[in-house]
Amino acid sequence: MHHHHSAEELDGVAFWESHYGQSERVWSGKVNQVIENLVSPLRPGTSLDIGCGEGGDVLWLATHGWKATGLDISPTAISRAREEAKKHDIAEADTQFVASDLGQWDTDQAFDLVTLSFFQAPFEFPRADFLRKAASFVAPGGHLLALSHAARPSWAPPVDHELPAFPTPQEELDALSLDPGEWDILQAEVVERSIISPTGQPAVMEDSVVFIQRKA
Protein backbone atom coordinates (compact mmCIF):
# COMPACT_ATOMS: atom_id res chain seq x y z
CA MET A 1 0.00 0.00 0.00
CA HIS A 2 2.77 2.39 0.91
CA HIS A 3 4.47 1.87 -2.41
CA HIS A 4 1.19 2.56 -4.21
CA HIS A 5 0.85 5.83 -2.31
CA SER A 6 4.22 7.16 -3.41
CA ALA A 7 3.50 6.28 -7.04
CA GLU A 8 0.31 8.31 -6.82
CA GLU A 9 2.21 11.22 -5.33
CA LEU A 10 4.70 11.12 -8.18
CA ASP A 11 1.78 11.18 -10.60
CA GLY A 12 0.55 14.31 -8.88
CA VAL A 13 3.89 16.11 -9.02
CA ALA A 14 4.55 14.99 -12.59
CA PHE A 15 1.08 16.01 -13.74
CA TRP A 16 1.24 19.50 -12.25
CA GLU A 17 4.86 20.03 -13.26
CA SER A 18 3.98 19.32 -16.90
CA HIS A 19 0.85 21.47 -16.52
CA TYR A 20 2.89 24.48 -15.38
CA GLY A 21 5.86 23.66 -17.59
CA GLN A 22 3.80 24.16 -20.74
CA SER A 23 3.54 27.92 -20.68
CA GLU A 24 4.75 31.12 -19.14
CA ARG A 25 1.82 32.37 -17.17
CA VAL A 26 1.35 35.89 -15.91
CA TRP A 27 -0.42 36.99 -12.75
CA SER A 28 -3.44 38.99 -13.87
CA GLY A 29 -3.93 40.56 -10.44
CA LYS A 30 -7.56 39.50 -10.73
CA VAL A 31 -9.05 37.16 -8.23
CA ASN A 32 -12.07 34.89 -8.52
CA GLN A 33 -15.23 36.95 -7.90
CA VAL A 34 -16.42 34.53 -5.23
CA ILE A 35 -13.23 34.96 -3.22
CA GLU A 36 -13.40 38.72 -3.56
CA ASN A 37 -17.04 38.84 -2.44
CA LEU A 38 -16.62 36.53 0.54
CA VAL A 39 -13.16 37.56 1.72
CA SER A 40 -13.27 41.35 1.28
CA PRO A 41 -15.58 41.89 4.30
CA LEU A 42 -13.34 39.79 6.59
CA ARG A 43 -10.82 41.36 8.91
CA PRO A 44 -7.42 40.46 7.42
CA GLY A 45 -5.31 38.00 9.38
CA THR A 46 -3.34 34.92 8.39
CA SER A 47 -4.35 32.92 5.32
CA LEU A 48 -3.41 29.61 3.73
CA ASP A 49 -4.20 28.81 0.10
CA ILE A 50 -3.95 25.08 -0.61
CA GLY A 51 -3.19 24.30 -4.24
CA CYS A 52 -2.22 27.93 -4.84
CA GLY A 53 -0.75 27.41 -8.31
CA GLU A 54 1.16 30.47 -9.41
CA GLY A 55 -0.03 32.35 -6.38
CA GLY A 56 -2.55 34.78 -7.82
CA ASP A 57 -4.97 34.51 -4.89
CA VAL A 58 -2.13 34.60 -2.34
CA LEU A 59 -0.75 37.81 -3.87
CA TRP A 60 -4.24 39.33 -3.95
CA LEU A 61 -4.69 38.49 -0.26
CA ALA A 62 -1.25 39.90 0.59
CA THR A 63 -2.09 43.18 -1.14
CA HIS A 64 -5.31 43.31 0.90
CA GLY A 65 -3.63 43.12 4.28
CA TRP A 66 -3.33 39.37 4.84
CA LYS A 67 -0.21 37.49 5.93
CA ALA A 68 -0.66 34.98 3.16
CA THR A 69 0.79 31.50 2.72
CA GLY A 70 0.46 29.42 -0.44
CA LEU A 71 1.02 25.67 -0.71
CA ASP A 72 1.31 23.82 -4.01
CA ILE A 73 2.62 20.44 -5.11
CA SER A 74 4.37 21.97 -8.14
CA PRO A 75 7.83 23.47 -7.50
CA THR A 76 7.56 25.31 -10.85
CA ALA A 77 4.32 27.01 -9.82
CA ILE A 78 5.80 27.95 -6.44
CA SER A 79 8.95 29.48 -7.91
CA ARG A 80 6.80 31.52 -10.30
CA ALA A 81 4.66 32.68 -7.39
CA ARG A 82 7.80 33.86 -5.56
CA GLU A 83 8.97 35.71 -8.68
CA GLU A 84 5.59 37.43 -9.03
CA ALA A 85 5.67 38.54 -5.39
CA LYS A 86 9.12 40.09 -5.96
CA LYS A 87 8.09 41.67 -9.23
CA HIS A 88 5.13 43.38 -7.55
CA ASP A 89 7.19 44.45 -4.53
CA ILE A 90 5.02 42.45 -2.17
CA ALA A 91 6.93 42.22 1.12
CA GLU A 92 8.39 38.81 1.88
CA ALA A 93 6.97 39.11 5.37
CA ASP A 94 3.48 39.11 3.84
CA THR A 95 3.80 36.07 1.59
CA GLN A 96 5.21 32.63 2.07
CA PHE A 97 5.20 29.89 -0.56
CA VAL A 98 5.69 26.21 0.15
CA ALA A 99 6.22 23.50 -2.49
CA SER A 100 4.73 20.41 -0.90
CA ASP A 101 2.01 17.84 -1.22
CA LEU A 102 -0.72 18.54 1.35
CA GLY A 103 -0.60 14.84 2.25
CA GLN A 104 3.02 15.28 3.40
CA TRP A 105 2.77 18.74 4.90
CA ASP A 106 1.82 19.77 8.39
CA THR A 107 1.97 22.89 10.54
CA ASP A 108 1.18 23.92 14.08
CA GLN A 109 0.01 27.28 12.82
CA ALA A 110 -3.72 28.00 12.72
CA PHE A 111 -5.00 30.34 10.01
CA ASP A 112 -7.85 32.85 9.99
CA LEU A 113 -8.67 31.85 6.42
CA VAL A 114 -7.98 28.60 4.57
CA THR A 115 -8.88 28.46 0.88
CA LEU A 116 -8.91 25.60 -1.60
CA SER A 117 -9.73 26.92 -5.05
CA PHE A 118 -10.27 24.45 -7.85
CA PHE A 119 -8.35 21.85 -5.90
CA GLN A 120 -9.23 19.27 -8.53
CA ALA A 121 -7.31 17.09 -10.93
CA PRO A 122 -8.09 14.64 -13.74
CA PHE A 123 -7.03 11.77 -11.51
CA GLU A 124 -8.24 10.44 -8.17
CA PHE A 125 -6.75 11.79 -4.98
CA PRO A 126 -8.03 11.73 -1.39
CA ARG A 127 -10.04 14.92 -1.67
CA ALA A 128 -12.17 14.23 1.41
CA ASP A 129 -9.07 13.66 3.56
CA PHE A 130 -7.55 16.85 2.19
CA LEU A 131 -10.70 18.85 2.93
CA ARG A 132 -10.73 17.61 6.52
CA LYS A 133 -7.01 18.34 6.86
CA ALA A 134 -7.58 21.85 5.49
CA ALA A 135 -10.36 22.41 8.04
CA SER A 136 -8.02 21.32 10.85
CA PHE A 137 -5.77 24.33 10.06
CA VAL A 138 -8.59 26.86 10.64
CA ALA A 139 -8.22 29.01 13.77
CA PRO A 140 -11.18 29.57 16.12
CA GLY A 141 -13.38 32.22 14.48
CA GLY A 142 -11.62 31.58 11.17
CA HIS A 143 -13.08 30.58 7.81
CA LEU A 144 -12.64 27.78 5.27
CA LEU A 145 -13.57 28.47 1.66
CA ALA A 146 -13.65 25.48 -0.68
CA LEU A 147 -14.31 26.53 -4.24
CA SER A 148 -14.53 23.99 -7.03
CA HIS A 149 -15.74 23.62 -10.58
CA ALA A 150 -19.31 22.34 -10.42
CA ALA A 151 -19.34 21.43 -14.11
CA ARG A 152 -17.14 21.42 -17.17
CA PRO A 153 -16.98 24.80 -18.93
CA SER A 154 -19.61 25.12 -21.65
CA TRP A 155 -16.98 25.40 -24.39
CA ALA A 156 -14.87 22.43 -23.28
CA PRO A 157 -14.65 19.59 -25.78
CA PRO A 158 -16.12 16.27 -24.63
CA VAL A 159 -13.61 14.06 -22.81
CA ASP A 160 -12.85 10.53 -23.93
CA HIS A 161 -12.21 9.32 -20.39
CA GLU A 162 -14.15 9.50 -17.16
CA LEU A 163 -13.10 12.46 -15.05
CA PRO A 164 -13.58 12.27 -11.31
CA ALA A 165 -17.00 13.71 -10.55
CA PHE A 166 -17.40 17.39 -9.90
CA PRO A 167 -18.15 17.76 -6.21
CA THR A 168 -21.50 19.24 -5.24
CA PRO A 169 -21.65 21.55 -2.21
CA GLN A 170 -23.49 18.81 -0.29
CA GLU A 171 -20.80 16.25 -1.14
CA GLU A 172 -18.17 18.69 0.09
CA LEU A 173 -20.06 19.11 3.36
CA ASP A 174 -20.49 15.34 3.69
CA ALA A 175 -16.75 14.89 3.15
CA LEU A 176 -15.98 17.53 5.78
CA SER A 177 -18.39 15.84 8.25
CA LEU A 178 -18.42 18.94 10.43
CA ASP A 179 -19.35 19.00 14.08
CA PRO A 180 -22.29 21.48 14.14
CA GLY A 181 -21.23 22.50 17.65
CA GLU A 182 -17.94 23.70 16.17
CA TRP A 183 -18.80 25.10 12.73
CA ASP A 184 -21.34 27.40 11.10
CA ILE A 185 -22.16 26.85 7.43
CA LEU A 186 -22.33 30.32 5.89
CA GLN A 187 -22.80 29.28 2.28
CA ALA A 188 -23.06 25.99 0.40
CA GLU A 189 -24.33 26.43 -3.13
CA VAL A 190 -23.49 26.44 -6.82
CA VAL A 191 -22.77 29.97 -8.04
CA GLU A 192 -22.65 31.06 -11.68
CA ARG A 193 -20.13 33.59 -12.90
CA SER A 194 -19.84 35.18 -16.33
CA ILE A 195 -16.53 34.86 -18.09
CA ILE A 196 -15.11 35.12 -21.57
CA SER A 197 -14.24 31.77 -23.12
CA PRO A 198 -10.81 31.18 -24.72
CA THR A 199 -12.35 31.99 -28.11
CA GLY A 200 -13.69 35.32 -26.86
CA GLN A 201 -17.33 34.29 -26.46
CA PRO A 202 -19.32 35.14 -23.32
CA ALA A 203 -19.70 31.99 -21.24
CA VAL A 204 -20.85 30.84 -17.85
CA MET A 205 -18.85 28.90 -15.28
CA GLU A 206 -20.51 27.11 -12.40
CA ASP A 207 -18.60 27.07 -9.14
CA SER A 208 -19.42 24.97 -6.13
CA VAL A 209 -18.95 27.21 -3.09
CA VAL A 210 -18.61 25.97 0.49
CA PHE A 211 -17.88 28.73 3.02
CA ILE A 212 -17.80 27.77 6.68
CA GLN A 213 -16.65 29.37 9.92
CA ARG A 214 -15.15 27.69 12.95
CA LYS A 215 -16.91 28.96 16.08
CA ALA A 216 -14.71 31.18 18.21
Side-chain angles (χ1 to χ4, degrees):
M1 189 62 215
H2 212 86
H3 169 76
H4 175 68
H5 186 59
S6 60
E8 243 171 42
E9 256 156 43
L10 281 176
D11 286 352
V13 174
F15 172 82
W16 290 111
E17 274 298 272
S18 69
H19 174 77
Y20 287 113
Q22 281 160 10
S23 65
E24 283 299 318
R25 280 224 187 61
V26 181
W27 178 44
S28 68
K30 291 190 177 66
V31 72
N32 181 296
Q33 228 28 78
V34 174
I35 294 181
E36 189 167 17
N37 295 345
L38 294 178
V39 171
S40 295
L42 303 180
R43 196 163 54 101
T46 53
S47 65
L48 171 65
D49 185 16
I50 296 171
C52 67
E54 291 169 1
D57 294 350
V58 177
L59 300 183
W60 182 84
L61 286 160
T63 57
H64 287 76
W66 294 79
K67 291 250 179 280
T69 298
L71 179 81
D72 199 276
I73 196 171
S74 163
T76 299
I78 288 295
S79 67
R80 283 196 193 162
R82 288 191 183 120
E83 280 161 34
E84 288 296 329
K86 272 201 194 77
K87 209 187 291 177
H88 292 89
D89 290 329
I90 295 171
E92 274 185 43
D94 294 335
T95 57
Q96 191 192 347
F97 289 102
V98 182
S100 177
D101 176 352
L102 179 63
Q104 304 301 303
W105 187 75
D106 223 331
T107 179
D108 295 332
Q109 191 181 349
F111 299 88
D112 300 309
L113 174 67
V114 176
T115 53
L116 298 94
S117 298
F118 310 116
F119 195 73
Q120 287 159 291
F123 49 82
E124 289 294 340
F125 66 97
R127 186 182 167 88
D129 296 350
F130 283 0
L131 278 170
R132 281 193 292 273
K133 188 165 185 179
S136 75
F137 297 140
V138 177
H143 293 77
L144 173 73
L145 173 57
L147 190 58
S148 54
H149 297 298
R152 290 169 51 69
S154 49
W155 70 83
V159 282
D160 53 8
H161 58 281
E162 268 305 293
L163 286 174
F166 294 101
T168 65
Q170 190 53 53
E171 283 165 348
E172 299 280 71
L173 289 175
D174 292 347
L176 280 160
S177 55
L178 304 168
D179 173 349
E182 251 184 73
W183 294 90
D184 289 316
I185 297 166
L186 305 182
Q187 190 175 358
E189 60 185 325
V190 172
V191 174
E192 284 193 354
R193 67 188 151 106
S194 305
I195 59 163
I196 301 298
S197 81
T199 54
Q201 305 300 308
V204 167
M205 288 289 281
E206 292 193 339
D207 294 336
S208 166
V209 179
V210 172
F211 190 46
I212 59 176
Q213 182 173 23
R214 188 187 285 278
K215 296 183 181 184

